[in-house]
């Protein structure tokens, strides 16, 4: 997909000052309608204000939503709100970007902390893909972008620092994306899928090249 003008994108984790907020800004600058969510209302509202400070194409829609992507019911409500506020039954782009750190150790961290990290970083990708896939299927073409991490390739941030929840989740995101490429090719060929990674501390975003089916 090369032309974003007039398309509709969903971006999770769209708070201002982070990669998600910058992604929203870049999409809007190219004429894309955007629905973005976060758990912090003011942070995602600031993203919208920042975008609206520029010159927007007439009729372009930026909608903000509150949702914890680890909670499937909230994700489904987010999807329904997107459909209502964007006045559409389809979307063209889904950026599964939301994520958190924490829950580093299976031993030293609490189960609640560990599972919260895993459920946001992996569960959010799963819930949002499930929820928004029918809307992607209704579009003429679509693309899913899942945010993994360098820790989806290398399960360590140092020999003395446990990092199991985040690494396990980001490995799951990468593996899911790689498998989904084939699934989509066979069952919904007009939808593509790719994976990216954050590179801390600068939080730049790099595409991950995954193997393609012949």
């Amino acid at each position: 997909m090369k032309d974003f003008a007039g398309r509709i994108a969903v971006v999770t984790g769209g708070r201002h000052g982070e990669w998600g907020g910058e992604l929203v800004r870049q999409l809007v600058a190219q004429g894309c309608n955007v629905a973005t969510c976060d758990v912090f209302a003011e942070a995602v509202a600031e993203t919208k204000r920042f975008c609206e400070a520029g010159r927007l194409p007439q009729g372009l829609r930026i909608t903000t939503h509150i949702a914890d992507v680890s909670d499937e019911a909230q994700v489904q409500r987010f999807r329904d709100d997107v459909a209502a506020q964007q006045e559409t039954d389809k979307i063209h782009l889904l950026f599964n970007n939301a994520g958190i750190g924490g829950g580093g150790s299976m031993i030293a961290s609490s189960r609640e902390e560990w599972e919260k990290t895993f459920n946001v970083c992996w569960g959010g990708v799963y819930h949002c893909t499930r929820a928004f896939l029918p809307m992607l299927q209704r579009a003429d073409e679509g693309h899913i972008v899942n945010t993994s991490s360098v820790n989806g390739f290398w399960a360590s941030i140092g020999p003395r620092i446990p990092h199991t929840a985040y690494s396990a989740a980001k490995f799951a995101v990468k593996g899911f994306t790689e498998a989904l490429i084939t699934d989509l090719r066979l069952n919904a060929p007009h939808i593509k899928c790719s994976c990216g990674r954050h590179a801390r501390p600068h939080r730049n975003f790099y595409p991950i090249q995954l193997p393609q089916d012949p």
Side-chain angles (χ1 to χ4, degrees), residues 36-110:
T36 185
C37 78
D38 201 271
V39 292
F40 298 106
E42 182 53 36
V44 78
E46 180 62 22
T47 296
K48 181 176 181 180
R49 287 193 293 269
F50 185 74
C51 292
E52 290 177 339
R55 179 175 293 180
L56 299 180
Q58 187 173 6
L60 187 143
R61 287 190 174 124
I62 308 170
T63 59
T64 61
H65 310 261
I66 307 304
D68 178 349
V69 296
S70 69
D71 184 323
E72 187 171 16
Q74 291 191 40
V75 169
Q76 291 172 343
R77 185 165 60 248
F78 170 43
R79 175 203 57 205
D80 294 344
D81 288 346
V82 169
Q85 294 185 35
Q86 291 281 341
E87 297 183 4
T88 185
D89 65 348
K90 60 181 174 287
I91 64 169
H92 304 90
L93 296 153
L94 172 62
F95 292 87
N96 286 315
N97 171 73
I100 59 173
S105 172
M106 282 285 289
I107 298 123
S109 302
S110 69

Side-chain angles (χ1 to χ4, degrees), residues 27-200:
L27 288 166
V28 168
Q30 296 186 60
C32 190
N33 301 286
V34 179
T36 185
C37 78
D38 201 271
V39 292
F40 298 106
E42 182 53 36
V44 78
E46 180 62 22
T47 296
K48 181 176 181 180
R49 287 193 293 269
F50 185 74
C51 292
E52 290 177 339
R55 179 175 293 180
L56 299 180
Q58 187 173 6
L60 187 143
R61 287 190 174 124
I62 308 170
T63 59
T64 61
H65 310 261
I66 307 304
D68 178 349
V69 296
S70 69
D71 184 323
E72 187 171 16
Q74 291 191 40
V75 169
Q76 291 172 343
R77 185 165 60 248
F78 170 43
R79 175 203 57 205
D80 294 344
D81 288 346
V82 169
Q85 294 185 35
Q86 291 281 341
E87 297 183 4
T88 185
D89 65 348
K90 60 181 174 287
I91 64 169
H92 304 90
L93 296 153
L94 172 62
F95 292 87
N96 286 315
N97 171 73
I100 59 173
S105 172
M106 282 285 289
I107 298 123
S109 302
S110 69
R111 177 169 180 167
E112 291 74 20
E113 181 187 1
W114 201 98
E115 291 185 354
K116 179 63 175 179
T117 299
F118 188 83
N119 291 340
V120 170
C121 293
W122 155 244
V125 173
Y126 174 73
H127 292 322
C128 290
T129 302
R130 278 284 187 197
F132 285 99
L133 189 56
M135 297 181 75
L136 285 160
Q137 289 177 283
R138 294 187 192 105
D140 59 339
E141 62 175 331
H143 202 114
I144 301 168
V145 181
N146 297 323
T147 300
S148 184
S149 167
V150 66
N151 293 122
F153 290 82
W154 185 31
S156 174
I157 56 174
R160 296 182 179 277
I161 305 173
H163 206 45
T164 57
Y166 187 81
S167 292
K170 293 304 185 179
F171 266 84
V173 171
K174 179 182 175 291
F176 171 71
T177 305
E178 188 169 345
L180 189 58
I181 290 171
T182 300
D183 197 351
L184 291 169
R185 180 179 63 81
L186 295 174
N187 295 298
H190 67 296
I191 305 173
K192 307 303 179 187
C193 186
S194 56
C195 194
R197 67 176 173 88
H198 285 146
R200 290 181 173 87

